[in-house]
Amino acid sequence: MTRLRRCLHIALPIIWLASVCPSTATEPHALLLEVDGPIGPATTDYLKRGLSHAQETNSEVVIIRMDTPGGLDAATRDIVKAIIGSAVPVAT
């Protein structure tokens, strides 16, 4: 009986950990992109690369957190086009 009790003391925590640890292969995930500062060509490039990465990794959603005073009109238009054309839903 003592041997069985020792095995249970070892096996039960392992089984519990396996059940509560998230599996990266099957769990949906979101990609967070952060913009802090003026909008320009570098921001456009960053967001376009992020949206491509989200599609490649099968992200469920892209979240863009922005703290910006604004910026270049052309860069903003390019960002809007990339968001509209994204295969992955985008929340800002």
Side-chain angles (χ1 to χ4, degrees):
M1 192 63 156
T2 330
R3 181 182 255 174
L4 177 62
R5 190 174 277 162
R6 271 188 273 165
C7 287
L8 286 175
H9 280 283
I10 294 170
L12 287 178
I14 293 171
I15 293 169
W16 179 79
L17 279 174
S19 69
V20 296
C21 290
S23 170
T24 57
T26 59
E27 292 293 319
H29 65 279
L31 178 66
L32 174 64
L33 301 174
E34 296 192 58
V35 175
D36 187 16
I39 301 295
T43 311
T44 304
D45 183 54
Y46 166 71
L47 290 174
K48 283 182 177 180
R49 284 185 291 115
L51 293 172
S52 293
H53 180 72
Q55 186 172 358
E56 292 167 4
T57 58
N58 297 320
S59 295
E60 296 289 319
V61 66
V62 175
I63 300 168
I64 302 174
R65 185 181 331 181
M66 301 180 91
D67 183 9
T68 176
L72 298 177
D73 183 49
T76 302
R77 289 178 193 270
D78 289 342
I79 291 170
V80 170
K81 286 178 187 176
I83 291 171
I84 291 171
S86 174
V88 180
V90 178
T92 305

